[in-house]
Structures are given as structure tokens and as C-alpha cells.
Amino acid sequence: MMNSPFFLLWLAALLLRPAAQSDGLTLSARAGFDGLYRESAAVPVIVSARNEGPPLEGEIRVTVGSAAAGNVTVYSAPISLPTQSDKRVALYVHLPPFAGDLNVQLVSDERVAARANTNALTVAPRDDLLYGVVTPEPGGLAFLETVAVGRPGADVAFLDLADLPDVSIAWNALDVLVLDDTDTSRLSARQLSALRAWVENGGQLVVTGGPGGPKTAAGVADLLPVTLAGVETVGDLPALSDFAGEALAALGPYTVAGSALRQGELLIRQEDLPLLARAKAGLGAVTFLALDPKLA
């Protein structure tokens, strides 16, 4: 009798007869939060498919585990690709502890029409603080790797808005999300709903100001502790220097997002200008910093 694991491999090979990548069909995929994930949390796999050829109906499949070990799980989602179409599909998978990439297939009529590998994945240490950071200048916020807030360490995942999941369970890997100088009005309704649920279940959202403050606040205005009122320039920030116990390294003038407190508390203010405000939201909290955090 044929050994069972090898039989499964043979059967899979028979059913999914590899086909050359169809003309005009391309597939790409990325997984995790900048390649990081937590073993206990759902891992986002974002698949992009472009079709310049004939119309195609099929499904995206991500296979996790080992057929030889008898623990294969297949995650799938349907996809319809008319000619001249470009679509994005999100799947959420659970992974064992491993470092590597995932194989993604586009299957049509039980034939593999296209395949791609994701970026390499690495488990984030269980007790580390994991930041998700959306910013056009990742280097300016890399210092967060040194801000562990009582944890053994900190890891920073630099993300695009499109990387933010649209289901709440996939947010559980993140402890803190920082939105910096980014137009959050581009977030979908499902992403915003998932973000709100994550905060209310203990997530920490930080929204920054500076010149990009209004656009960063645009899509999440109803979550903020303040109401924004444009930007203004101030020559000095003595309230911030007093709070920190030393002078700011970056010389003024400073561009600050003007605002008024609408809920929560002011942690730092300069006269009538809120510099740092925070409001609780369920088990989590939303913090607004009126400055650009990338200042020295």
C-alpha cells in the first residue's frame, strides 16, 4: 500500500497540475505586518492579481503546514478576473512558529494558473511590544525600537494604509498603531470598523500632528480626543521643554496642529494650545500629538 503522506502529495499534484503562468496573468502577495506576526493571532496575507488575458474565474489558495506531517490547512477566497482587471484579496491565516514564506496559488478549474511566494515571515517575541507605524518616512520613527515601555523589547512594523486589515481579529498582533503624516481618509469603512474594534479591545492608537496633522486626522476624527483646526506656527514650546526636563534639540519655529479638546484629558498644553491629549476608548486609548514626532 502506498504510504499515506506520499499518497496525499501525489493526489495534490494530480489535482493541481502545474500550468505555466497564463499569458497576461500576474500574482504577488505579502504577509504579516512588515514580515512580523504573532503565533496566536491571525496573519494577514494580501494578494494582488492582475489579468491582461482572457477572463478567469477561480480562487486564491494559501496552504499552511506540511502534507508529510499530516497537518495541512488550506485557506481560500474566490476571485473573478475579467480582462484588464486588477484586484486585491485579503486572507487571514493562522501559522505555527516558523520563519519562512508562504506559497500562494491562483487556481482555476483545478489548475494552478499562477503562483507567488510572500515575503519571509518571522514570529515577534511573545512579550515584546509590537508597533505598527504608517508613515512616509520610516527612518524618522525607527527610534521606537528603543521604546519598550516596560516590555523586554520592542519591534516596529512599517506599514502602508493598504496593509491595515479589514477584520478586527487580524489586528490582535499589534499593541500600538502610529499614524503619521498619512491621509487616513483613504481607509475603507471596513478598515475603520476593524480599527475601532481593536482600540476598544485594548489597542493603543497614536495620531500625530505637525504639517500633515489635518490629513492624518481626516479619517479617524471621531476617535480623536481633540477637534482639529488647521495648523499654526509657534516660535518656542516651553511647555514641552518643561515636561521633558530639557530643551528641544530641534530649533523653532515649529509647525503644530491646532486643536481643541473634545474628550479625555490634556497631558501637555501650551496656554490654549493642546500639545498632547489622550482619551480612553473601551479598554484602549487614542493619543494625539500635535507635533511632528520625527523632530530631533
Side-chain angles (χ1 to χ4, degrees), residues 8-18 61 107 109-112:
L8 291 174
L9 288 171
W10 173 82
L11 182 61
L14 179 65
L15 291 175
L16 296 180
R17 289 161 288 178
R61 294 183 186 176
V107 178
D109 294 328
E110 291 307 326
R111 290 180 178 269
V112 179

Side-chain angles (χ1 to χ4, degrees), residues 34-52:
D34 197 14
L36 294 169
Y37 76 100
R38 297 222 195 252
E39 185 180 346
S40 59
V43 180
V45 180
I46 311 300
V47 182
S48 297
R50 183 173 183 83
N51 185 25
E52 301 289 346

Side-chain angles (χ1 to χ4, degrees), residues 18-28 48-50 56 104-106 112-116:
Q21 187 115 324
S22 301
D23 290 341
L25 183 63
T26 56
L27 196 69
S28 62
S48 297
R50 183 173 183 83
L56 181 146
V104 179
Q105 297 177 339
L106 196 167
V112 179
R115 65 176 77 240

Side-chain angles (χ1 to χ4, degrees), residues 201-241:
N201 281 285
Q204 302 291 317
L205 173 64
V206 179
V207 179
T208 70
K215 70 177 181 181
T216 307
V220 293
D222 61 333
L223 292 174
L224 296 179
V226 298
T227 301
L228 261 68
V231 297
E232 54 187 276
T233 301
V234 296
D236 196 11
L237 292 170
L240 192 59
S241 298

Side-chain angles (χ1 to χ4, degrees), residues 244-258:
E246 59 181 282
L248 290 175
L251 299 177
Y254 309 98
T255 302
V256 180

